[in-house]
Amino acid sequence: MAVPTPGGRPFVVDAGLETEMVFNFGFELPEFAAFPFLETDEGLQFFVAYYQGFADIAKAASAALALVTPTWRANADWGARIGYDAAGLDRINRAAVALLNAKRHSLSDLDQIIVCGAIGPRGDGYAVGEIPDIDEAARYHRAQIESFAVAGADSVEAMTITNANEAAGIVQAANRVGIPVGISFTVEVDGRLPDGSTLQDAVTRVDQVGEVAYFGINFAYPDHILPGLTEGIWLARIASLRPNASSKSHAELDESDELDAGNVDDLSRGVQQIRAALPNVSIVGGCCGTNHEHVARLWNIA
């Protein structure tokens, strides 16, 4: 199964899963983690309907579909806070892939669907925390990547990554396991990663470490992404774009008790500006605060 590439076939991807569950469907997510609901009937029903909505958008847009597992928090540190040990995390990461593989097989009206295992940062996407050694990051993230590979995922993508070292470690681990990997960084309001580095530096550094299928940007509003898009051939490596609905900073969002769904028209205009600067973007969806309506608008579907 071919995975997305910069400038390749367009792929629809989902939106702000966790914010959708919390603010629009009333789920209480422990540590903002969606994955425990893979083990409840209520959660499974939600996930099936949620992903179906993006399949409908892909069909309307004549695009391929990327089904991304609800496992952004399913790593050792966050799992331990919720009561999941290594065996439990292996079980839940495999279950996530199995659910989406089953969903894939039910969608006979789409000709290309991939299942992608979602990896989140060891720390919090809102802040840098301690920057790991590359080898340390590779060891840490390998267990989750292996679970995805054994369960039959087509690829993995690390999202909301705050520094190049952790990204490089994830790339090393995925390369050793033998599964394609995408890396999506987040940026602050100035277009720089939370550790202060530029997108150009981060992409260039990680691209030298190993084989990366594509790079992306997520968990940031278009106005915050644009300042980081300096000229250079590195821009051609960015294929994935999943913006926030809100123009608030990470710190402001962290302190907010209410959902800021932003303005769909403003978000669409901002994404159009980004796509003009990033001609190889082929994977488009949303991040925090976005839902099916936002993603449909980004694909010009009323």
Side-chain angles (χ1 to χ4, degrees):
M1 179 65 65
V3 300
T5 57
R9 183 176 181 185
F11 276 79
V12 170
V13 72
D14 66 296
L17 170 65
E18 290 84 3
T19 50
E20 179 78 341
M21 292 181 74
V22 171
F23 293 103
N24 293 332
F25 285 85
F27 286 89
E28 294 185 8
L29 303 189
E31 300 292 345
F32 206 54
F35 71 83
F37 289 94
L38 288 163
E39 301 189 294
T40 72
D41 290 340
E42 180 188 18
L44 289 173
Q45 290 173 7
F46 169 82
F47 290 133
V48 169
Y50 173 79
Y51 290 108
Q52 180 63 51
F54 298 101
D56 294 340
I57 294 170
K59 181 179 179 181
S62 298
L65 174 66
L67 295 172
V68 180
T69 59
T71 53
W72 181 68
R73 286 290 207 213
N75 60 33
D77 286 34
W78 292 103
R81 298 185 187 190
I82 307 169
Y84 282 79
D85 60 10
L89 288 170
D90 177 56
R91 181 186 72 248
I92 205 75
N93 281 303
R94 292 191 193 206
V97 173
L99 174 70
L100 296 191
N101 269 324
K103 184 63 183 174
R104 166 166 44 190
H105 295 320
S106 75
L107 296 171
S108 59
D109 52 353
L110 291 173
D111 66 348
Q112 186 175 358
I113 306 170
I114 68 159
V115 172
C116 176
I119 300 168
R122 181 173 184 173
D124 202 318
Y126 287 96
V128 182
E130 183 177 347
I131 295 178
D133 173 85
I134 293 175
D135 290 337
E136 175 191 2
R139 288 190 296 270
Y140 180 82
H141 289 286
R142 181 161 179 162
Q144 188 177 23
I145 293 169
E146 287 179 336
S147 296
F148 290 144
V150 169
D154 300 299
S155 64
V156 298
E157 180 175 351
M159 292 185 284
T160 326
I161 303 302
T162 63
N163 64 89
N165 275 21
E166 186 167 22
I170 292 168
V171 169
Q172 282 192 355
N175 287 177
R176 290 166 183 165
V177 171
I179 188 168
V181 57
I183 296 291
S184 283
F185 293 109
T186 188
V187 296
E188 299 291 346
V189 296
D190 59 358
R192 289 176 174 266
L193 272 64
D195 72 348
S197 61
T198 66
L199 269 170
Q200 180 176 2
D201 287 344
V203 169
T204 302
R205 283 185 57 200
V206 177
D207 228 359
Q208 294 171 346
V209 168
E211 186 174 347
V212 186
Y214 59 85
F215 289 90
I217 306 166
N218 78 295
F219 191 46
Y221 192 68
D223 287 355
H224 307 160
I225 296 170
L226 284 165
L229 303 182
T230 55
E231 293 183 1
I233 59 173
W234 69 278
L235 294 174
R237 296 288 288 125
I238 298 180
S240 179
L241 180 61
R242 300 184 63 165
N244 280 354
S246 172
S247 62
K248 292 179 179 178
S249 69
H250 291 159
E252 290 171 329
L253 287 173
D254 192 31
E255 295 172 358
S256 179
D257 293 326
E258 297 181 354
L259 178 68
D260 182 358
N263 181 286
V264 179
D265 292 330
D266 288 344
L267 181 68
S268 179
R269 281 190 290 269
V271 167
Q272 289 174 9
Q273 288 182 280
I274 293 173
R275 297 195 73 168
L278 298 174
N280 283 347
V281 164
S282 56
I283 312 160
V284 177
C287 203
C288 288
T290 62
N291 57 27
H292 296 90
E293 179 187 359
H294 295 83
V295 175
R297 183 66 62 85
L298 297 184
W299 284 90
N300 297 315
I301 297 170

